[in-house]
Amino acid sequence: MSTFVNAYGVPAAGEPLVPTTVERRDLGPHDVRIDIMYCGICHSDIHFARGDFGPLPVSPLVPGHEIVGIIVETGAEVTRHQIGDRVGIGCMVNSCRECANCLDGEEQYCLNGHTLVFGGADRDGSITQGGFSEAIVANEDFVVHVPETLDPASAAPLLCAGITVYSPLAHWKVGPGSKVAIVGLGGLGHLGVKIAKAMGAEVTVLSQSLRKKEDGLRLGADHYYATGDPETFSGLANRFDLILNTVSASVDVDAYLSLVARDGVLINAGVPVEPQSVNVFSLLTNRRSYAGTQFGSIRETQEMLDFCAEHGVTADSELINASQINEAFDRVLASDVRYRFVIDASTFSTPAA
Ligand code: ZN
Ligand code: ZN
């Protein structure tokens, strides 16, 4: 006997989200049932809902992949979690577990395709539905522990935005002495500043204008420059060991590469729709690398949460009710949020106003 829980979903690409219900399967031996407390709103939720990544795989589609909640039921063979544990789910809920990347513990790069938390094909053939809902059932291996010292609402964005910036910073071994630049001060970027700073790096924000400069410095940045000012690029040439670009718009890749020091790297975490061009001379100079990154593994997500608990890092977030999701989507698209919306999941049971 599966159960139906209250949720908010998109009936068709580009339409507003509406109250709906979503079916949650009965627990398998390794499944846990989680009562969701909070779910963050990520730019990708909006892309999916608007059909930017293709037609909706199911109607209605329930987005949401920054989930924090409490385990209320465990399958017979669950060993990793107990009833009452505070836990999180991020972008993926399964992978093949057999390919080279899965065996290396890098299941976000599963060669057979990981299962996204929503809009993904689950093993029983159903389409997964995400965290804009009251409860979710998931395999225990893709559920992480959220330390009790973290505020659960502002910890929710760590499950996508947090791991997406933590993973490259950790992989390229940022630490004391590293000179790091974060491009864009949005949901990803503001966590990039906090986490890079907590890792001991000297952190610079590169933003279009100086509009958020005060905020950037308050979040921990040491320096803040406007990319709209051409002198920024001449003044900072060859400066950074690592530049993390969190912006999803097209940028002048060569201009950013010119800021990378010897053996440094420019990493794209944002996803521009258009192909980006790069002049190979920009790479030859200083033996630079141009790389990409996609969220992080489950092991690394746990490591990130523990790191954030140790250093007191959470997102700056604005708590909203379910009925405000559509307005919040519009405000995210207008960059009118500092810096992440988080939905109070107890309001999914309340009819929209
Ligand atoms: Zn996301
Ligand atoms: Zn795999």
Side-chain angles (χ1 to χ4, degrees), residues 118-141:
F118 71 86
D122 217 344
R123 289 184 166 179
D124 62 4
S126 65
I127 300 294
T128 55
Q129 296 278 27
F132 290 4
S133 61
E134 291 177 307
I136 190 166
V137 172
N139 184 283
E140 61 170 331
D141 295 334

Side-chain angles (χ1 to χ4, degrees), residues 315-327:
D316 284 23
S317 59
E318 185 176 330
L319 195 63
I320 62 165
N321 293 333
S323 61
Q324 297 169 286
I325 292 174
N326 292 306
E327 185 193 329

Side-chain angles (χ1 to χ4, degrees), residues 76-267:
E77 291 169 34
V78 166
T79 55
R80 296 168 68 103
H81 307 286
Q82 295 183 333
I83 290 172
D85 283 359
R86 187 203 277 175
V87 293
I89 293 181
C91 301
M92 58 182 170
V93 288
N94 217 336
S95 70
C96 85
R97 303 170 188 240
E98 291 170 358
C99 72
N101 289 352
C102 282
L103 293 175
D104 281 347
E106 301 275 8
E107 56 285 312
Q108 75 277 31
Y109 302 119
C110 175
L111 297 171
N112 296 306
H114 53 251
T115 307
L116 289 174
V117 63
F118 71 86
D122 217 344
R123 289 184 166 179
D124 62 4
S126 65
I127 300 294
T128 55
Q129 296 278 27
F132 290 4
S133 61
E134 291 177 307
I136 190 166
V137 172
N139 184 283
E140 61 170 331
D141 295 334
F142 286 77
V143 173
V144 289
H145 176 66
V146 177
E148 294 288 333
T149 52
L150 292 174
D151 170 62
S154 46
L158 298 176
L159 274 306
C160 171
I163 185 60
T164 298
V165 295
Y166 178 90
S167 180
L169 294 172
H171 178 78
W172 273 277
K173 300 189 167 39
V174 164
S178 304
K179 288 189 167 61
V180 170
I182 305 291
V183 182
L185 195 66
L188 291 179
H190 94 288
L191 283 170
V193 170
K194 290 188 185 193
I195 291 172
K197 191 68 191 173
M199 287 173 166
E202 181 183 325
V203 182
T204 299
V205 173
L206 301 174
S207 187
Q208 269 182 322
S209 71
L210 296 178
R211 194 167 55 91
K212 298 182 186 169
K213 180 175 180 180
E214 233 171 80
D215 253 18
L217 299 178
R218 175 182 62 79
L219 294 166
D222 299 289
H223 315 283
Y224 200 107
Y225 294 94
T227 54
D229 179 354
E231 285 184 16
T232 292
F233 287 91
S234 50
L236 298 177
N238 308 310
R239 173 80 157 260
F240 301 106
D241 302 308
L242 182 150
I243 300 179
L244 183 58
N245 180 11
T246 69
V247 174
S248 287
S250 292
V251 297
D252 182 343
V253 176
D254 295 307
Y256 284 94
L257 279 171
S258 75
L259 308 183
V260 174
R262 196 193 77 236
D263 293 325
V265 60
L266 168 65
I267 306 159

